[in-house]
Amino acid sequence: MSGKGRNFNCLTLDEARRAALAAQGFDHPRPTRPSARHIRQTIRRLGLVQIDCVNVLVPAHYQVLFSRLGPYDRAMFDRVAWQSGDFTEQWAHEASIIPVETWPLLRHRMNLTRFANWGFVQAVQRHPEYLSWVVDQVRERGPLGADHLPAPEGAGRRIPGNWVGTLPRGALEMQFIQGLLATVERRSDFSRVFDLAERRIPPEHFTRQVDREEAERELLRIAARAHAVATAKDLADYFRMKVGPTRPRIAELVEAGDLVEVAVEGWRETAYLHRDAAIPKRIDAAALLSPFDPLIWTRPRVARLFHFDYRVEIFVPERLRKWGFYVLPFLLGERLVARVDLKADRAAGRLLVKGAWGESNAAEALATELRLLAGWLELDRVVIGRRGDLASALRAATSRQP
């Protein structure tokens, strides 16, 4: 079933949930041998992939693809994302991998407004000549990382207490934010190497000038395809847009027939259905979701769609955490049925399940997915801890599987 050409007035919650899962790529079996084509298709289907380098399990941008494709070659992902020329990085949701044709749609946001209160911006702005000098160095020498550059004359290299770390990196990041530089490589330590954007973004995209309102409409179209059905706040959050200014753009998309206003069972706000949204009769997925998976970015939407309360507790003090440091929801069929606190103990070759909570009938499928994940991460075994109401059943299911 498709939303195209249909005059939907109301969706059941089950229909909305299946539509959302289909839009995110959970409506078909994983490929037997994931290829570069599958990776390209998945990134484009999602519209963007958030980069997060927390490595307690695996960096989030790798996990997002695993959830949909199963075990794939991460080196192949790196080649597709950073070397193929089909994709680039920019601040989109957060730091994100995007198709190159999306780059000009973000040009109106390529300024320091969102980052003005970040300490590294203030530190680097004390050295205005250094900022332009860094770009000149890249222009003359080719792609550079922060370790290729000295600090400003007479200044210390480090920015105390700041995640950026150093003034050279801060300067490169600022020129990246403003669209002068583009990422060409992520090293094994996840640091970036930059080149001039004009050398890395294809000319037809680098020179393309898009009116702000049209850029916002197109970003919302991308978000709507990736959501299938969503509220105005959901759509705005996909590219971190403010909901107030997006409402006129959404109304224009409704007028153009790109979106259809619908009521969703149990939702208080008006929802918008993409005209090409598919509503499968069933979803047979089984996947662990990264905390930074686009399906679950907007926590109120997770609660509305799945009746599942989810919070990332990475930045919550340990004594106040309810679930754990790095907790992944488990999707089974069309429902979120469990959550597990995971850690890759690489030194010992173990995937540690520090805690597990959820429905006992999810144990077998979750044990299978954990073994698949462990194998992909080159870990020899899965070890189940004792925290959580699902731990005992999960331990038993894991012991039964070869």
Side-chain angles (χ1 to χ4, degrees), residues 122-195:
Q122 298 169 354
V124 177
Q125 284 178 330
R126 299 189 190 105
H127 309 277
E129 293 182 359
Y130 183 69
L131 268 171
S132 57
W133 179 84
V134 162
V135 175
D136 290 341
Q137 288 296 297
V138 174
R139 179 175 289 109
E140 295 170 10
R141 297 165 58 187
L144 298 176
D147 55 344
H148 296 132
L149 296 168
E153 186 174 352
R157 185 174 185 84
R158 296 203 61 79
I159 306 175
N162 192 276
W163 64 271
V164 164
T166 68
L167 284 168
R169 182 183 171 190
L172 290 167
E173 294 284 349
M174 285 174 63
Q175 301 294 38
F176 166 74
I177 289 167
Q178 296 179 98
L180 295 174
L181 300 179
T183 307
V184 299
E185 178 187 351
R186 282 272 183 172
R187 296 167 171 167
S188 59
D189 63 356
F190 304 117
S191 64
R192 289 193 270 205
V193 177
F194 299 90
D195 197 2

Coordinates of all heavy atoms in Angstrom, one line a residue, residues 122-195:
Q122 N 35.5 30.7 20.3 CA 36.0 32.0 20.9 C 37.5 32.0 21.0 O 38.2 33.0 20.8 CB 35.4 32.1 22.3 CG 33.9 32.2 22.3 CD 33.2 32.0 23.7 OE1 33.9 31.7 24.6 NE2 31.9 32.3 23.7
A123 N 38.1 30.8 21.3 CA 39.6 30.7 21.4 C 40.3 31.0 20.0 O 41.2 31.8 20.0 CB 40.0 29.3 21.9
V124 N 39.7 30.4 19.0 CA 40.4 30.6 17.6 C 40.1 32.1 17.1 O 41.0 32.6 16.5 CB 39.8 29.6 16.6 CG1 40.4 29.9 15.2 CG2 40.2 28.2 17.1
Q125 N 39.0 32.6 17.4 CA 38.7 34.0 16.9 C 39.6 35.0 17.5 O 39.6 36.2 17.0 CB 37.2 34.3 17.2 CG 36.2 33.6 16.3 CD 34.8 34.0 16.6 OE1 34.4 34.2 17.8 NE2 33.9 33.9 15.6
R126 N 40.4 34.7 18.5 CA 41.4 35.6 19.0 C 42.6 35.7 18.1 O 43.5 36.6 18.3 CB 41.9 35.2 20.4 CG 40.8 35.1 21.5 CD 41.3 34.9 22.9 NE 40.3 34.6 23.8 CZ 40.0 33.4 24.3 NH1 40.8 32.4 24.0 NH2 39.0 33.2 25.2
H127 N 42.6 34.8 17.1 CA 43.7 34.8 16.1 C 43.1 34.8 14.7 O 43.2 33.9 13.9 CB 44.5 33.5 16.3 CG 45.0 33.3 17.7 ND1 46.1 33.9 18.2 CD2 44.4 32.5 18.7 CE1 46.2 33.5 19.5 NE2 45.2 32.7 19.8
P128 N 42.5 36.0 14.3 CA 41.7 36.0 13.0 C 42.6 35.8 11.8 O 42.2 35.2 10.8 CB 41.2 37.5 13.0 CG 42.0 38.2 14.0 CD 42.4 37.2 15.1
E129 N 43.9 36.2 11.9 CA 44.8 36.0 10.7 C 45.1 34.5 10.6 O 45.4 34.1 9.4 CB 46.1 36.9 10.9 CG 45.8 38.4 10.8 CD 47.1 39.1 10.9 OE1 48.2 38.5 11.1 OE2 47.0 40.4 10.8
Y130 N 45.1 33.8 11.7 CA 45.4 32.4 11.6 C 44.4 31.6 10.9 O 44.7 30.7 10.1 CB 45.6 31.9 13.1 CG 45.9 30.4 13.2 CD1 47.2 30.0 12.8 CD2 45.0 29.5 13.7 CE1 47.6 28.7 12.9 CE2 45.4 28.1 13.8 CZ 46.6 27.7 13.4 OH 47.0 26.4 13.5
L131 N 43.1 32.0 11.0 CA 42.0 31.4 10.3 C 42.2 31.4 8.8 O 42.1 30.3 8.1 CB 40.7 32.0 10.7 CG 39.9 31.5 11.8 CD1 38.7 32.4 12.2 CD2 39.4 30.1 11.6
S132 N 42.5 32.5 8.2 CA 42.7 32.6 6.8 C 44.0 31.9 6.4 O 44.1 31.3 5.3 CB 42.7 34.1 6.3 OG 43.7 34.8 7.0
W133 N 45.0 32.0 7.3 CA 46.3 31.3 7.0 C 46.1 29.8 6.9 O 46.7 29.2 6.0 CB 47.3 31.6 8.1 CG 48.7 31.0 7.9 CD1 49.7 31.4 7.2 CD2 49.1 29.7 8.5 NE1 50.8 30.6 7.2 CE2 50.4 29.5 8.0 CE3 48.5 28.8 9.4 CZ2 51.2 28.4 8.4 CZ3 49.2 27.7 9.7 CH2 50.5 27.5 9.3
V134 N 45.3 29.2 7.7 CA 45.0 27.8 7.6 C 44.4 27.4 6.3 O 44.9 26.4 5.7 CB 44.1 27.4 8.8 CG1 43.4 26.0 8.5 CG2 44.8 27.3 10.1
V135 N 43.5 28.2 5.8 CA 42.9 27.9 4.5 C 44.0 28.0 3.4 O 44.0 27.2 2.5 CB 41.7 28.8 4.2 CG1 41.2 28.7 2.8 CG2 40.6 28.6 5.2
D136 N 44.8 29.0 3.5 CA 45.9 29.2 2.5 C 46.8 28.0 2.5 O 47.3 27.5 1.5 CB 46.7 30.5 2.8 CG 45.9 31.7 2.5 OD1 45.0 31.6 1.8 OD2 46.3 32.8 3.1
Q137 N 47.1 27.4 3.7 CA 48.0 26.3 3.8 C 47.4 25.1 3.1 O 48.0 24.3 2.4 CB 48.2 25.9 5.3 CG 49.2 26.9 6.0 CD 50.6 26.9 5.4 OE1 51.3 25.9 5.4 NE2 51.0 28.0 4.8
V138 N 46.1 24.9 3.3 CA 45.4 23.8 2.6 C 45.4 24.0 1.1 O 45.6 23.0 0.3 CB 43.9 23.6 3.1 CG1 43.2 22.6 2.3 CG2 43.9 23.3 4.6
R139 N 45.2 25.2 0.7 CA 45.2 25.5 -0.7 C 46.6 25.2 -1.4 O 46.7 24.6 -2.5 CB 44.8 27.0 -1.0 CG 44.8 27.4 -2.4 CD 44.4 28.8 -2.6 NE 42.9 29.0 -2.4 CZ 42.4 29.6 -1.3 NH1 43.2 30.1 -0.4 NH2 41.1 29.6 -1.2
E140 N 47.6 25.5 -0.6 CA 49.0 25.4 -1.2 C 49.5 23.9 -1.1 O 50.1 23.4 -2.0 CB 49.9 26.3 -0.5 CG 49.6 27.8 -0.8 CD 50.5 28.7 0.1 OE1 51.4 28.2 0.8 OE2 50.1 29.9 0.2
R141 N 49.2 23.3 0.1 CA 49.8 22.0 0.4 C 48.9 20.8 0.1 O 49.4 19.7 0.1 CB 50.2 22.0 1.9 CG 51.3 23.0 2.2 CD 51.4 23.3 3.7 NE 51.7 22.0 4.4 CZ 51.8 21.9 5.8 NH1 51.5 23.0 6.5 NH2 52.1 20.8 6.3
G142 N 47.6 21.0 -0.1 CA 46.7 19.9 -0.3 C 46.1 19.5 1.1 O 46.2 20.2 2.1
P143 N 45.4 18.4 1.1 CA 44.6 18.0 2.3 C 45.5 17.9 3.6 O 46.6 17.4 3.5 CB 44.1 16.6 1.9 CG 44.0 16.6 0.5 CD 45.2 17.4 0.0
L144 N 45.0 18.5 4.7 CA 45.8 18.6 5.9 C 44.9 18.2 7.1 O 43.7 18.5 7.1 CB 46.3 20.0 6.1 CG 47.3 20.6 5.1 CD1 47.6 22.0 5.4 CD2 48.5 19.8 5.0
G145 N 45.5 17.6 8.1 CA 44.9 17.4 9.4 C 45.5 18.4 10.4 O 46.5 19.1 10.1
A146 N 44.9 18.4 11.6 CA 45.4 19.4 12.6 C 46.8 19.1 13.0 O 47.6 20.1 13.3 CB 44.5 19.2 13.9
D147 N 47.3 17.9 12.9 CA 48.7 17.6 13.3 C 49.7 18.1 12.2 O 50.9 18.0 12.5 CB 48.9 16.1 13.5 CG 48.4 15.2 12.3 OD1 47.7 15.7 11.5 OD2 48.8 14.0 12.3
H148 N 49.2 18.5 11.1 CA 50.1 19.1 10.0 C 50.4 20.5 10.2 O 51.2 21.1 9.5 CB 49.5 18.9 8.6 CG 49.3 17.4 8.2 ND1 48.1 16.9 7.7 CD2 50.1 16.4 8.3 CE1 48.3 15.7 7.4 NE2 49.5 15.3 7.8
L149 N 49.7 21.2 11.2 CA 49.7 22.6 11.3 C 50.3 23.0 12.7 O 50.0 22.4 13.7 CB 48.3 23.2 11.1 CG 47.7 23.0 9.8 CD1 46.2 23.4 9.8 CD2 48.4 23.8 8.7
P150 N 51.1 24.1 12.7 CA 51.6 24.7 13.9 C 50.5 25.5 14.6 O 49.5 25.9 13.9 CB 52.8 25.5 13.5 CG 52.4 26.0 12.2 CD 51.7 24.8 11.5
A151 N 50.6 25.8 15.8 CA 49.7 26.7 16.5 C 50.0 28.2 16.1 O 51.1 28.5 15.5 CB 49.9 26.6 18.0
P152 N 49.1 29.1 16.3 CA 49.4 30.5 16.0 C 50.6 31.0 16.7 O 50.9 30.5 17.8 CB 48.1 31.3 16.5 CG 47.1 30.2 16.6 CD 47.7 28.9 16.9
E153 N 51.4 31.8 16.1 CA 52.6 32.3 16.7 C 52.3 33.0 18.0 O 51.4 33.8 18.2 CB 53.3 33.3 15.7 CG 54.6 33.8 16.2 CD 55.3 34.7 15.2 OE1 54.8 34.8 14.0 OE2 56.4 35.2 15.5
G154 N 53.1 32.5 19.0 CA 53.0 33.1 20.4 C 51.9 32.5 21.2 O 51.6 33.0 22.3
A155 N 51.1 31.5 20.7 CA 50.0 31.0 21.4 C 50.3 29.5 21.7 O 51.0 28.8 21.0 CB 48.7 31.0 20.6
G156 N 49.8 29.0 22.8 CA 49.9 27.6 23.1 C 49.0 26.8 22.2 O 48.1 27.3 21.6
R157 N 49.4 25.5 22.0 CA 48.7 24.7 21.0 C 47.3 24.3 21.5 O 46.3 24.3 20.7 CB 49.5 23.5 20.7 CG 49.0 22.6 19.6 CD 49.9 21.5 19.2 NE 49.3 20.8 18.0 CZ 49.5 21.1 16.8 NH1 50.1 22.2 16.5 NH2 48.9 20.4 15.8
R158 N 47.2 23.9 22.8 CA 46.0 23.3 23.2 C 44.9 24.4 23.7 O 45.3 25.5 24.1 CB 46.3 22.4 24.4 CG 47.1 21.2 24.0 CD 46.9 20.0 25.0 NE 45.6 19.5 25.0 CZ 45.0 18.7 24.1 NH1 45.8 18.3 23.0 NH2 43.8 18.3 24.2
I159 N 43.7 24.0 23.6 CA 42.5 24.7 24.1 C 42.1 24.0 25.4 O 41.4 23.0 25.3 CB 41.4 24.9 23.1 CG1 41.9 25.4 21.8 CG2 40.3 25.7 23.7 CD1 40.8 25.4 20.7
P160 N 42.5 24.4 26.6 CA 42.2 23.7 27.8 C 40.7 23.4 28.0 O 39.9 24.3 27.8 CB 42.8 24.6 28.9 CG 43.8 25.5 28.2 CD 43.2 25.7 26.8
G161 N 40.4 22.1 28.3 CA 39.1 21.7 28.7 C 38.1 21.7 27.5 O 36.9 21.7 27.8
N162 N 38.5 21.7 26.3 CA 37.6 21.8 25.1 C 37.8 20.5 24.3 O 38.9 20.0 24.1 CB 37.9 23.0 24.3 CG 36.8 23.2 23.3 OD1 36.8 22.7 22.2 ND2 35.9 24.1 23.6
W163 N 36.6 19.9 23.8 CA 36.7 18.7 23.1 C 37.5 18.8 21.8 O 38.0 17.8 21.3 CB 35.3 18.2 22.8 CG 34.5 19.1 21.9 CD1 33.7 20.1 22.2 CD2 34.4 19.0 20.4 NE1 33.1 20.7 21.1 CE2 33.5 20.0 20.0 CE3 34.9 18.2 19.5 CZ2 33.2 20.3 18.7 CZ3 34.6 18.4 18.1 CH2 33.8 19.4 17.7
V164 N 37.5 20.0 21.2 CA 38.3 20.1 19.9 C 39.8 19.9 20.2 O 40.5 19.4 19.3 CB 38.0 21.5 19.3 CG1 39.1 21.9 18.3 CG2 36.7 21.5 18.7
G165 N 40.3 20.3 21.4 CA 41.6 19.9 21.8 C 42.7 21.0 21.5 O 43.4 21.4 22.4
T166 N 42.8 21.4 20.2 CA 43.9 22.3 19.8 C 43.4 23.4 18.9 O 42.4 23.3 18.3 CB 45.0 21.5 19.0 OG1 44.5 21.1 17.8 CG2 45.5 20.3 19.8
L167 N 44.2 24.5 18.9 CA 43.9 25.6 18.1 C 43.9 25.2 16.6 O 43.0 25.7 15.8 CB 44.8 26.8 18.3 CG 44.5 27.6 19.6 CD1 45.7 28.5 20.0 CD2 43.2 28.3 19.5
P168 N 44.9 24.5 16.1 CA 44.9 24.1 14.7 C 43.6 23.3 14.3 O 43.0 23.6 13.3 CB 46.1 23.2 14.5 CG 47.0 23.7 15.5 CD 46.2 24.1 16.7
R169 N 43.2 22.4 15.2 CA 41.9 21.7 14.8 C 40.7 22.6 14.9 O 39.8 22.5 14.1 CB 41.7 20.5 15.8 CG 40.5 19.7 15.5 CD 40.2 18.6 16.4 NE 38.8 18.0 16.1 CZ 38.2 17.2 16.9 NH1 38.7 16.8 18.0 NH2 37.0 16.7 16.5
G170 N 40.7 23.5 15.9 CA 39.6 24.4 16.0 C 39.5 25.3 14.8 O 38.4 25.5 14.3
A171 N 40.6 25.7 14.2 CA 40.6 26.6 13.0 C 40.1 25.8 11.8 O 39.3 26.3 11.0 CB 42.0 27.1 12.7
L172 N 40.5 24.6 11.7 CA 40.1 23.7 10.6 C 38.6 23.5 10.7 O 37.8 23.5 9.7 CB 40.8 22.4 10.6 CG 42.3 22.5 10.1 CD1 43.0 21.1 10.5 CD2 42.4 22.8 8.6
E173 N 38.1 23.2 11.9 CA 36.7 22.9 12.1 C 35.8 24.1 11.8 O 34.8 24.0 11.2 CB 36.4 22.5 13.6 CG 37.1 21.1 14.0 CD 36.3 19.9 13.4 OE1 35.2 20.1 12.9 OE2 36.8 18.8 13.5
M174 N 36.3 25.3 12.2 CA 35.6 26.5 11.9 C 35.4 26.8 10.4 O 34.4 27.2 10.0 CB 36.2 27.7 12.6 CG 36.0 27.7 14.1 SD 36.9 29.0 15.0 CE 36.2 30.5 14.2
Q175 N 36.5 26.5 9.7 CA 36.4 26.8 8.2 C 35.6 25.7 7.6 O 35.0 25.9 6.5 CB 37.8 26.8 7.6 CG 38.7 28.0 8.2 CD 38.1 29.4 7.9 OE1 36.9 29.6 7.8 NE2 39.0 30.3 7.6
F176 N 35.5 24.5 8.2 CA 34.6 23.4 7.7 C 33.2 23.8 7.9 O 32.3 23.7 7.0 CB 35.0 22.1 8.4 CG 33.9 21.0 8.3 CD1 33.8 20.3 7.1 CD2 33.1 20.7 9.3 CE1 32.9 19.3 6.9 CE2 32.1 19.7 9.2 CZ 32.0 19.0 8.0
I177 N 32.9 24.3 9.1 CA 31.5 24.7 9.5 C 31.0 25.8 8.5 O 29.9 25.8 8.0 CB 31.5 25.3 10.9 CG1 31.6 24.1 11.9 CG2 30.2 26.1 11.1 CD1 31.9 24.6 13.3
Q178 N 32.0 26.7 8.1 CA 31.6 27.8 7.2 C 31.6 27.4 5.7 O 31.4 28.3 4.8 CB 32.5 29.0 7.5 CG 32.3 29.5 8.9 CD 33.3 30.7 9.2 OE1 32.9 31.9 9.1 NE2 34.5 30.4 9.5
G179 N 31.9 26.1 5.4 CA 31.8 25.6 4.0 C 33.0 25.9 3.2 O 33.0 25.7 2.0
L180 N 34.1 26.4 3.8 CA 35.4 26.6 3.0 C 36.2 25.3 2.9 O 36.9 25.2 1.9 CB 36.2 27.7 3.7 CG 35.6 29.1 3.7 CD1 36.5 30.0 4.5 CD2 35.4 29.6 2.3
L181 N 36.1 24.4 3.8 CA 36.8 23.2 3.8 C 35.8 22.0 3.8 O 34.6 22.2 4.2 CB 37.7 23.0 5.0 CG 38.8 24.1 5.2 CD1 39.6 23.8 6.4 CD2 39.7 24.2 3.9
A182 N 36.2 20.9 3.3 CA 35.4 19.7 3.3 C 36.3 18.5 3.8 O 37.5 18.5 3.6 CB 34.9 19.4 1.9
T183 N 35.7 17.5 4.4 CA 36.4 16.4 4.9 C 36.7 15.4 3.8 O 35.8 15.1 2.9 CB 35.5 15.6 5.9 OG1 35.1 16.6 6.9 CG2 36.3 14.5 6.6
V184 N 37.9 14.9 3.7 CA 38.3 14.0 2.7 C 38.7 12.6 3.3 O 38.8 11.6 2.6 CB 39.5 14.5 1.9 CG1 39.1 15.8 1.2 CG2 40.7 14.7 2.7
E185 N 38.8 12.6 4.6 CA 39.3 11.3 5.2 C 39.0 11.4 6.7 O 39.0 12.4 7.4 CB 40.8 11.1 5.0 CG 41.3 9.9 5.7 CD 42.9 9.8 5.6 OE1 43.5 10.7 4.9 OE2 43.5 8.9 6.2
R186 N 38.6 10.2 7.3 CA 38.5 10.0 8.7 C 39.6 9.0 9.0 O 39.5 7.8 8.5 CB 37.1 9.5 9.1 CG 36.1 10.5 9.2 CD 36.0 11.2 10.5 NE 34.9 12.2 10.6 CZ 34.6 12.8 11.7 NH1 35.2 12.6 12.9 NH2 33.6 13.7 11.7
R187 N 40.5 9.3 9.9 CA 41.6 8.4 10.2 C 41.1 7.4 11.2 O 40.0 7.5 11.7 CB 42.8 9.2 10.8 CG 43.4 10.1 9.8 CD 44.4 11.1 10.6 NE 45.2 11.8 9.7 CZ 45.9 12.9 10.1 NH1 45.8 13.3 11.3 NH2 46.7 13.6 9.2
S188 N 42.0 6.4 11.6 CA 41.6 5.4 12.5 C 41.2 5.9 13.9 O 40.5 5.3 14.6 CB 42.7 4.3 12.6 OG 43.9 4.9 13.0
D189 N 41.8 7.1 14.2 CA 41.4 7.7 15.5 C 40.3 8.7 15.4 O 40.0 9.4 16.3 CB 42.7 8.4 16.1 CG 43.2 9.6 15.2 OD1 42.6 9.8 14.1 OD2 44.1 10.3 15.7
F190 N 39.6 8.7 14.2 CA 38.5 9.5 13.8 C 38.8 10.9 13.6 O 37.8 11.7 13.4 CB 37.3 9.3 14.9 CG 36.9 7.9 15.1 CD1 37.1 7.2 16.3 CD2 36.4 7.1 14.0 CE1 36.8 5.9 16.5 CE2 36.1 5.8 14.2 CZ 36.2 5.2 15.4
S191 N 40.0 11.3 13.7 CA 40.3 12.7 13.3 C 40.2 12.9 11.8 O 40.2 12.0 11.0 CB 41.8 13.0 13.7 OG 42.7 12.3 13.0
R192 N 39.9 14.2 11.4 CA 39.6 14.5 10.1 C 40.7 15.1 9.3 O 41.6 15.8 9.9 CB 38.4 15.4 10.0 CG 37.1 14.8 10.4 CD 35.9 15.7 10.0 NE 35.6 16.6 11.1 CZ 34.3 17.1 11.2 NH1 33.4 16.8 10.4 NH2 34.1 18.0 12.2
V193 N 40.8 14.8 8.0 CA 41.7 15.5 7.1 C 40.8 16.3 6.2 O 39.8 15.9 5.7 CB 42.5 14.5 6.3 CG1 43.4 15.2 5.3 CG2 43.4 13.6 7.3
F194 N 41.2 17.6 5.9 CA 40.4 18.5 5.2 C 41.1 19.0 3.9 O 42.3 19.1 3.8 CB 40.2 19.8 6.0 CG 39.4 19.5 7.3 CD1 40.1 19.2 8.5 CD2 38.0 19.6 7.4 CE1 39.4 19.0 9.7 CE2 37.3 19.4 8.6 CZ 38.0 19.1 9.7
D195 N 40.3 19.3 2.9 CA 40.7 19.9 1.7 C 39.8 21.1 1.4 O 38.7 21.2 2.1 CB 40.7 18.9 0.5 CG 41.5 19.4 -0.7 OD1 42.1 20.5 -0.6 OD2 41.6 18.7 -1.7

